[in-house]
C-alpha cells in the first residue's frame, strides 16, 4: 500500500539540526514519504531500562550527525545547509571520557570543512546574519511604536454579487421596508435561472497536478465549513463564504456542497435572512439548488412556522427542477428533529402528506447466496456461550472504554527495582507533565486566537478544528504522543497524520455523545444481544445484520460522520505538533530546583537526508529520553480501536456502520487519502453488499480467549533476553554495537569504508530489533491484560480486493506463529469420535515433517511420537524439546498441550476443546487459476483431483526444471552443468508460489539468487548466471505445466494494459458483489507550507490522476485472484455459520473446532465448486466491455483505435480445458 509515502523514524546517517521552537531556515521537505500507515505506534509510558553506560549515547549522536552531514555534503557538493547550536543537557558524572572523544570528533569534523562547499557555507552564514540584523532592527522599531487597540474585523453577512440583476434585486430588498418579506425574496431567487460563468471563471486547471491541488483546496474549504457548524461558529463560516464568493478569482473554488453546508447551518438556527443570502450566492455562482438546498430551506420555514404560500412556491420550483418531495425524506441524511421540521413545512401545503415508508430491505439475489437468504429451511445459527446478563455487563465495559478513547495496560516489561533514583524520576515526570499540560493549554488558546483572527480576514483556517476538543483534552493527547516518541525521533509528516487522526476519532465519539446517540445505542444493543445470548431466543432466526436492521427506528441510521480529507488531517496534526514543540520545555538538569536553570526544548526539529530527499523529524532531547528510561513507568496507553473488544462488535450494515460501538471504523481499509473505494461502496446497491457485510460480521462474532500456559512460557523467554529462533526478540541491549574507537590516523580508505558499512549494519540491526521488541511488548502486554477476561472479540474489515483482516493491529490470529499460539476459541466444543484424530493430524501438519504423506500415514506418525508430544506438553523448557524443531513451534506446543489434556481425560470424546484446527489450501492461487481454465494437468498438480497422496506442485516444477537442465547440460551449456545436484524444491518454491501473484522474471531471479546464496556448496561466482538460467526454466516449466493459467494471466495483463492506456483504472465486481478498483495512479503532490517546515507528500492513489500503467497491468492478475479467494472464504464462512460452526480464516487457511473439521471441509469444497461453476471470466469480460467500451465514438482517432483493440481483446477469452469441477468434492488434499 504505497500511495502515500511517510518518512519513518530517523534513518539516515546525515542530519542537520534546527533548534525547536524557531522558524526554519531550510523549510522545504523535499518529498515526504507517506507510504503506508498500517503499522501504528503505541502510546506508552513504559520504556526499556537503559544502563548507565548508555546515558550519553543521545548526546554523542547529536554531534555524530553533524559529522555525517559534513561527509555527505563533501560527497554531494550540497551548497546550502544551516546548522545551529543545540542546547545540551549536563553530562552525568563519570561520562567525561566519552564526551572528550565526542568533542575531539567535533573538532576533527571542523578541520574537514575545506573546499568550495565550505566557502558557500560561510557565505550563507554571512547572509543569514545580515538578515537577522535587519529583522532585529525592524522588531526594535516596531516595539517602540505605541500599542494600538486592534478591533476585531466585523463579520460580513450580505454577499457581493457579480450578476447585476441579482445584486440590484438584493440591494432593493435589503434596504427596503420591513414589509419586504425575505420569504418573497427566496421565492423570487429560486425562480432565477443559474447564471452562466465567464470563460475565465470556468477554466479548468492546466494539468492533473493542478487539478489535484485544486481538489485539496476545496477539501480544506468544505472541512472548514463543516467544522464551523459542529463548533457553533456559523457566522464565521458565513463570513468566509461571503468573502470567498466576493473574490471573483477564488469563487471557482466554491462548490454547491459548501453553500449547502452553510445553508443547513442557518436552517437549523431558523435564520431565514442569512439562508436567503446563501441562495443568492448559489444563483450568482451559476449553480442549481439540489435536494439538500431545498431541504435546508423547507426545514428553516418549518421551524419558523412560515405561511403556506411561500412554502408552496418553493415546492412548485422543486417540481420545475424535476426534484421530488418524497426523495427529500429518502435521499437526504437528516436527524429526527430535522425530519420533523421538514415534515411540518410540507404539511402546511399538503396536510395529508406522509413521508414515504422506509423501503423494504432488498434481498441479495446472487445465485451464490440464494441458500443463505432463502426464507424458511433448516438453520442452526450458533449462539454464544454467555448469558444475556453477562453480555450486557461486557457491553457496559466496552462502552466505558470507547468513551474514554484510550486504554491503560500494564506493561510486561521487567520492572526495575524501586530505587530512590527511579522514584525521583517518576515524581519529576509527574511534575513536568502538570507544567506541560498548563503550558500546552495556554499555547492552544493563543494559537486559536491567532487562527480566529485570520479567519475573520476571510481565510479558512484550522480554528474550528481546534475547537472540536477542549484545550485540556488536546493537551493530554499531545502528552501521550510525546511519551512514546522513540529516541531516534519520528517523521514530522507521520506524526502529523497520527495526531490529526486521533483528534478526529475523539471528535467522532464526543459528537455521538452530544447528539444523544449513546442511550439509543444502549437500548438497541440490549435487544440485539437476545439473538446471541445462550439463554434467550429470537423468532424467527435471523442473521445478526438482519436482526440489527429490524431494531432500527423509523428514521433509519443517523447521518454518518464523513472522514476529514488527508490534507486537512495532516495540516491539523502539523499544527498540533508545532504547539507541542513550542510549549514543552524542561530544565537542562532535571534534578535542579525549579527556576534555577534555563529551560530547554524537549523536542528538536531535525532533518534526515535520504538519497535526494530531505525528511523532517521531531526528536526528543537526550535528557528527556534518559529521564523516561530511568523512570521506567509500568503502563502502556492504547487507543480504544487498537484493543480487542470486550463485547460482540456491531454488525456491519453499510460501508460506514459497524464494528466498534462509538469509534469510527472503515469497511474497506485503503491507502490514506483514497476515496475512490468508499465512493464505489456508497453507490453500490445495499443488497449487493450483504454477502460481504454478513461474512465480516460472522468473523467478528467469534469469541476468543488467551492461552495462558503458552503466554507464561513466552513471558519467561521475553524476560530472559528472548529467543530469536522461537520468535521472541531480545532486548535492545543485545543489539550489535559498532566499534567504539575511532579509526587511527592513516587508516586506508577501503578499511574506512568497511567500518562505515559495519556501523550502518549495526544501526539498522538495532532499529529493527527495537521495532520487533516493541511489537512483542504490545502483543504480550495486551494478552496479559486480557488473559482473565472470559472472552473478547476481534471486529473485521476488508481491503479493496475483499480480503478480510482483524481491526485491532497488535493481538489477533492474523500474525506470526507466536501471535496465533496465544489465542484459542473462548467457546469450546466436545471432541466427539474424530476430534482427537484431527488434533493429532494438526500437530503433525504444524511440524512440517510429513507434508507428502497421506492422512493415514500422518496419523500413524502422530501415534509414534505421542511420547514426544506429551513430554513437550509436560516439560516444554526442560524436557526433550521436540516441539522446538517444528516449522511452527509455538502452535505445535499449544497443540501438544491440548492433546495431552484430551488423552488424559476420562473420555476423550467428551473432552471440551478450545483449540482451533487449520485446513490450508494447496497453492490456493494456482487452484483458482486451474479451476478458471478447467486445466486438468494443472488441477492434478494442486490437488483439485482425488489422489492417494498429496501432490506437491513445487516438487513437480523442480522435476521439470531438472529435465530441462539435463538436456542443456548434455548440449554443453556451462551453467546447466554447474547446477547439477542443486535444483531442489526449496530453490524454486518461492518463485512458483509468487508467480500466481504476479512476480516478474526480475523478482523471481532475486528470489532464486537468495536461495543459491544459502547453499554453501554452490560456487558463488555462478550465482548471477545460474539465477538467470533457473528463473527462465521455472517460467518455461510453469508454461508447460499450467498452460491455461499462463493464458489467463496474459489475458488479464493485456486487458489491464489497454484499459490504463485509455486513462482509466481497472475495476471489476467480485462474484459476491464487492466493487473493486485498483488504487494505482501517477503521483500527485500536495504541499503544506509554513510552520517549522514545509511538507510535500505524494499521493498516487487519487483517482483524478492518470493510472500507473505498469502497476495496473502487473497488479490485475494477482488482485483478481485475491478477490476470488476472498469470495470463496466468505461463502464458506456464511454456510458454516448457517450450520452452527465456529469459523475464522487467515485468507486461504480456514479454522474451526476439531470436531467440526469434516463439516467445514465439505462446505469448503462445495462452495469452491459453486463459485467456479459461475461464468466468472465471461462475466468479467461483459463488465469490462460495458464499463470501458460503451462510450460514444470520440473525435480522437487514436482513442477510437485503442477502444477497438480493447474491445477485441476483452472478447477473446482464453480457451478452457475439460476438467470436471465435481472432482474437487472428492479431493482429500484440496484443503488439508
Amino acid at each position: 500500500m504505497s500511495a502515500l509515502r511517510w518518512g519513518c523514524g530517523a534513518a539516515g546517517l546525515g542530519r542537520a539540526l534546527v533548534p525547536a521552537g524557531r522558524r526554519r531556515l531550510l523549510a522545504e521537505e523535499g518529498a515526504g514519504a507517506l507510504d503506508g500507515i498500517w503499522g501504528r505506534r503505541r502510546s506508552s509510558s513504559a520504556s526499556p531500562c537503559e544502563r548507565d553506560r548508555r546515558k550519553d549515547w543521545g548526546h554523542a549522536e547529536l554531534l555524530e550527525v553533524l559529522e555525517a552531514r559534513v561527509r555527505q555534503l563533501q560527497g554531494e557538493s550540497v551548497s546550502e545547509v544551516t546548522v545551529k547550536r543545540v542546547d545540551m543537557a549536563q553530562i552525568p558524572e563519570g561520562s567525561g571520557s566519552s564526551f572528550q572523544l565526542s568533542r575531539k570528533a567535533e573538532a576533527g569534523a571542523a578541520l574537514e570543512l575545506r573546499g568550495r562547499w565550505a566557502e558557500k557555507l560561510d557565505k550563507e552564514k554571512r547572509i543569514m546574519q545580515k538578515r537577522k540584523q535587519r529583522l532585529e532592527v525592524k522588531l526594535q522599531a516596531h516595539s517602540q511604536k505605541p500599542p494600538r487597540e486592534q478591533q476585531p474585523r466585523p463579520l460580513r453577512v450580505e454577499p457581493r454579487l457579480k450578476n447585476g440583476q441579482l445584486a440590484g434585486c438584493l440591494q432593493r430588498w435589503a434596504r427596503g421596508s420591513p414589509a419586504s418579506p425575505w420569504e418573497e425574496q427566496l421565492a423570487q431567487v429560486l425562480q432565477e435561472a443559474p447564471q452562466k460563468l465567464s470563460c475565465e471563471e470556468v477554466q479548468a486547471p492546466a494539468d492533473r497536478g493542478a487539478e489535484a491541488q485544486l481538489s485539496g483546496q476545496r477539501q480544506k474549504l468544505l472541512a472548514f465549513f463543516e467544522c464551523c457548524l459542529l463548533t457553533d461558529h456559523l457566522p464565521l463560516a458565513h463570513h468566509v463564504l461571503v468573502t470567498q464568493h466576493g473574490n471573483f478569482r477564488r469563487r471557482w473554488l466554491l462548490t454547491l456542497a459548501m453553500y449547502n453546508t452553510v445553508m443547513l447551518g442557518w436552517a437549523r438556527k431558523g435564520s431565514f435572512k442569512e439562508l436567503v443570502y446563501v441562495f443568492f450566492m448559489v444563483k450568482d455562482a451559476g449553480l442549481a439548488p439540489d435536494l439538500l438546498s431545498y431541504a435546508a430551506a423547507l426545514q428553516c420555514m418549518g421551524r419558523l412556522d412560515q405561511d403556506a404560500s411561500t412554502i408552496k412556491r418553493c415546492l412548485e420550483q422543486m417540481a420545475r427542477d424535476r426534484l421530488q418531495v418524497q426523495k427529500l425524506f429518502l435521499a437526504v441524511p437528516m436527524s429526527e428533529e430535522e425530519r420533523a421540521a421538514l415534515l411540518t413545512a410540507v404539511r402546511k401545503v399538503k396536510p395529508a402528506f406522509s413521508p414515504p415508508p422506509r423501503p423494504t430491505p432488498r434481498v441479495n439475489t446472487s445465485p451464490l447466496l440464494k441458500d443463505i437468504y432463502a426464507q424458511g429451511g433448516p438453520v442452526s445459527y450458533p449462539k454464544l456461550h454467555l448469558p444475556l446478563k453477562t453480555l450486557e455487563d461486557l457491553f457496559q465495559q466496552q462502552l466505558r472504554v470507547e468513551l474514554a478513547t484510550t486504554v491503560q495496560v500494564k506493561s510486561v516489561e521487567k520492572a526495575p527495582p524501586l530505587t530512590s533514583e527511579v522514584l525521583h524520576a517518576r515524581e519529576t515526570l509527574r511534575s513536568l507533565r502538570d507544567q506541560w499540560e498548563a503550558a500546552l493549554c495556554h499555547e492552544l488558546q493563543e494559537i486559536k486566537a491567532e487562527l480566529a483572527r485570520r479567519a475573520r480576514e476571510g481565510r479558512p483556517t484550522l480554528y474550528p478544528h481546534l475547537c472540536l476538543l477542549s484545550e485540556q483534552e488536546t493537551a493530554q493527547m499531545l502528552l501521550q504522543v510525546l511519551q512514546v516518541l522513540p529516541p531516534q525521533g519520528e517523521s514530522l509528516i507521520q506524526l502529523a497524520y497520527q495526531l490529526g487522526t486521533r483528534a478526529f476519532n475523539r471528535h467522532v465519539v464526543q459528537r455521538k455523545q452530544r447528539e444523544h446517540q449513546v442511550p439509543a445505542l444502549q437500548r438497541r444493543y440490549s435487544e440485539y444481544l437476545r439473538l446471541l445470548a445462550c439463554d434467550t431466543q429470537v423468532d424467527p432466526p435471523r442473521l445478526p445484520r438482519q436482526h440489527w436492521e429490524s431494531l432500527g427506528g423509523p428514521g433509519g441510521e443517523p447521518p454518518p460522520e464523513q472522514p476529514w480529507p488527508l490534507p486537512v488531517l495532516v495540516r491539523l496534526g502539523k499544527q498540533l505538533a508545532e504547539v507541542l514543540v513550542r510549549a514543552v520545555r524542561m530544565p537542562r538538569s532535571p534534578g535542579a530546583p525549579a527556576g534555577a536553570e534555563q529551560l530547554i526544548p524537549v523536542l528538536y526539529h531535525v532533518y534526515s537526508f535520504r538519497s535526494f530527499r530531505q525528511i523532517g523529524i521531531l526528536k526528543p532531547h537526550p535528557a528527556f529520553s534518559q529521564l523516561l528510561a530511568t523512570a521506567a513507568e509500568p503502563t502502556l496507553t492504547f487507543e480504544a480501536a487498537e484493543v480487542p473488544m470486550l463485547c460482540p462488535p456491531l454488525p456491519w450494515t453499510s460501508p460506514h456502520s459497524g464494528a466498534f460501538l462509538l469509534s469510527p471504523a472503515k469497511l474497506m481499509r485503503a491507502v490514506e487519502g483514497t476515496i475512490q473505494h468508499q465512493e464505489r461502496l456508497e453507490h453500490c446497491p445495499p443488497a449487493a453488499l450483504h454477502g460481504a457485510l454478513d461474512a465480516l460480521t460472522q468473523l467478528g462474532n467469534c469469541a476468543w480467549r488467551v492461552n495462558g500456559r503458552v503466554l507464561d512460557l513466552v513471558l519467561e523467554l521475553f524476560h530472559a533476553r528472548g529467543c530469536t529462533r522461537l520468535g521472541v526478540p531480545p532486548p535492545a541491549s543485545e543489539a550489535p554495537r559498532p566499534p567504539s574507537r575511532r579509526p587511527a590516523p592513516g587508516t586506508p580508505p577501503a578499511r574506512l569504508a568497511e567500518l562505515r558499512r559495519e556501523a550502518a549494519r549495526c544501526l539498522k540491526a538495532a532499529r529493527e530489533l527495537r521495532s520487533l521488541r516493541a511489537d512483542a511488548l504490545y502483543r504480550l502486554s495486551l494478552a496479559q491484560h486480557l488473559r482473565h477476561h472470559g472472552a473478547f472479540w476481534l471486529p473485521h474489515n476488508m481491503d479493496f480486493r475483499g480480503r478480510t483482516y482483524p481491526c485491532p493491529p497488535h493481538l489477533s490470529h492474523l500474525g506470526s506463529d507466536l501471535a496465533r499460539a496465544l489465542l484459542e476459541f473462548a467457546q469450546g466444543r466436545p471432541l466427539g469420535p474424530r476430534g482427537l484424530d484431527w488434533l493429532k493430524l494438526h500437530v503433525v501438519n504444524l511440524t512440517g515433517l510429513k507434508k507428502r504423506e497421506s492422512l493415514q500415514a500422518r496419523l500413524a506418525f502422530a501415534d509414534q511420537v505421542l511420547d514426544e508430544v506429551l513430554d513437550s506438553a509436560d516439560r516444554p523448557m526442560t524436557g526433550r524439546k521436540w516441539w522446538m524443531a517444528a516449522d511452527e513451534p509455538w502452535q505445535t506446543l499449544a497443540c501438544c498441550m491440548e492433546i495431552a489434556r484430551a488423552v488424559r481425560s476420562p473420555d476423550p470424546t467428551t473432552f471440551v476443546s478450545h483449540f482451533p484446527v487449520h485446513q490450508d489450501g494447496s497453492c490456493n492461487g494456482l487452484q483458482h487459476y486451474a479451476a478458471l481454465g478447467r486445466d486438468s494437468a494443472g488441477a492434478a498438480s494442486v490437488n483439485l483431483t482425488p489422489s492417494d497422496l498429496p501432490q506437491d506442485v513445487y516438487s513437480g516444477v523442480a522435476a521439470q526444471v531438472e529435465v530441462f537442465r539435463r538436456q542443456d547440460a548434455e548440449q554443453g551449456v556451462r551453467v546447466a552443468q554447474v547446477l547439477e545436484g542443486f535444483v531442489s524444491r526449496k530453490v524454486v518454491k518461492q518463485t512458483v508460489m509468487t508467480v500466481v501473484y504476479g512476480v516478474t522474471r526480475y523478482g523471481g531471479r532475486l528470489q532464486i539468487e537468495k536461495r543459491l546464496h544459502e547453499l554453501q556448496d554452490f560456487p558463488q561466482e555462478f550465482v548471477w548466471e545460474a539465477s538467470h538460467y533457473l528463473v527462465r526454466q521455472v517460467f518455461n516449466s510453469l508454461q508447460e505445466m499450467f498452460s491455461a493459467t499462463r493464458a489467463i494471466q496474459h489475458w488479464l495483463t493485456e486487458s489491464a494494459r489497454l484499459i490504463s492506456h485509455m486513462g482509466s483504472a481497472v475495476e471489476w465486481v467480485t462474484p459476491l458483489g464487492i466493487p473493486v478498483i485498483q488504487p494505482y495512479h501517477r503521483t500527485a503532490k500536495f504541499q503544506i507550507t509554513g510552520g517549522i517546515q514545509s511538507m510535500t507528500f505524494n499521493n498516487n492513489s487519487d483517482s483524478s490522476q492518470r493510472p500507473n500503467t505498469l502497476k495496473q497491468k502487473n497488479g490485475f492478475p494477482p488482485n483478481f485472484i485475491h478477490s476470488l479467494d476472498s469470495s470463496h472464504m466468505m461463502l464458506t464462512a456464511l454456510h458454516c455459520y448457517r450450520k452452527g460452526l465456529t469459523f475464522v480464516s487467515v485468507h486461504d487457511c480456514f479454522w474451526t473446532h476439531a470436531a467440526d473439521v469434516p463439516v467445514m471441509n465439505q462446505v469448503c469444497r462445495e462452495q469452491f465448486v459453486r463459485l467456479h461453476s459461475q461464468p466468472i471470466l465471461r462475466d468479467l469480460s461483459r463488465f469490462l466491455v460495458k464499463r470501458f467500451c460503451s462510450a460514444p465514438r470520440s473525435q480522437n482517432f487514436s482513442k477510437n483505435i485503442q477502444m477497438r483493440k480493447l474491445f477485441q481483446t476483452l472478447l477473446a477469452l482464453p480457451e478452457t480445458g475439460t476438467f470436471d469441477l465435481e472432482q474437487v468434492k472428492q479431493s482429500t488434499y484440496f484443503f488439508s
Side-chain angles (χ1 to χ4, degrees), residues 1147-1161:
H1147 305 319
D1148 61 346
C1149 178
F1150 298 169
W1151 299 18
T1152 192
H1153 287 95
D1156 296 329
V1157 172
V1159 179
M1160 184 186 73
N1161 278 338

Side-chain angles (χ1 to χ4, degrees), residues 472-485:
Q472 186 178 12
E473 290 170 323
T474 306
Q476 291 172 353
M477 180 183 72
L478 292 174
L479 290 178
Q480 290 170 8
V481 171
L482 175 65
Q483 191 74 13
V484 290
L485 276 181

Side-chain angles (χ1 to χ4, degrees), residues 214-271:
L214 168 64
S215 174
Q217 294 173 350
R218 284 177 169 164
Q219 290 172 353
K220 177 182 176 182
L221 266 172
L222 182 58
F224 172 82
F225 293 132
E226 290 174 343
C227 282
C228 281
L229 264 65
L230 294 173
T231 55
D232 201 23
H233 289 97
L234 185 57
L236 183 62
H238 185 91
H239 168 75
V240 173
L241 181 68
V242 169
T243 305
Q244 295 284 326
H245 183 87
N247 186 335
F248 302 131
R249 293 183 177 180
R250 296 188 61 81
R251 177 185 294 181
W252 56 284
L253 287 174
L254 299 176
T255 63
L256 182 59
M258 300 176 195
Y259 293 104
N260 283 343
T261 300
V262 179
M263 268 196 285
L264 182 60
W266 290 126
R268 289 171 179 170
K269 288 182 173 292
S271 301

Side-chain angles (χ1 to χ4, degrees), residues 1093-1112:
Q1093 77 170 60
S1094 294
M1095 295 192 301
T1096 303
F1097 56 93
N1098 301 330
N1099 180 0
N1100 57 12
S1101 59
D1102 186 353
S1103 56
S1104 66
Q1105 296 297 109
R1106 290 189 61 84
N1108 185 316
T1109 301
L1110 182 62
K1111 289 186 176 181
Q1112 288 285 343

Side-chain angles (χ1 to χ4, degrees), residues 27 100 143 146 174 205 325 451 465 514 538 550 563 682 710 719 937 956 1064 1104:
Q100 287 175 3
S143 63
V325 179
L451 293 175
H465 296 82
R514 288 194 304 269
V538 171
S550 70
E682 291 177 353
V710 173
H719 293 147
S1064 300
S1104 66

Side-chain angles (χ1 to χ4, degrees), residues 350-419:
K350 303 178 178 181
F353 178 84
S354 296
R358 291 176 60 191
T360 304
R362 295 188 177 182
V363 178
N364 190 294
T365 57
S366 168
L368 293 171
L369 296 170
K370 63 180 181 180
D371 292 341
I372 298 296
Y373 301 116
Q375 299 294 328
V379 295
S380 55
Y381 295 137
K383 290 274 194 177
L384 293 174
H385 61 295
L386 300 172
L388 179 62
K389 182 64 172 66
T390 302
L391 290 173
E392 289 177 339
D393 292 341
L394 292 175
F395 166 75
Q396 293 298 330
Q397 294 178 35
Q398 178 65 25
L399 187 61
R400 287 193 292 270
V401 166
E402 295 196 38
L403 287 173
T405 69
T406 57
V407 183
Q408 296 290 326
V409 173
K410 186 176 179 181
S411 172
V412 297
E413 192 72 82
K414 194 172 182 179
L418 292 179
T419 62

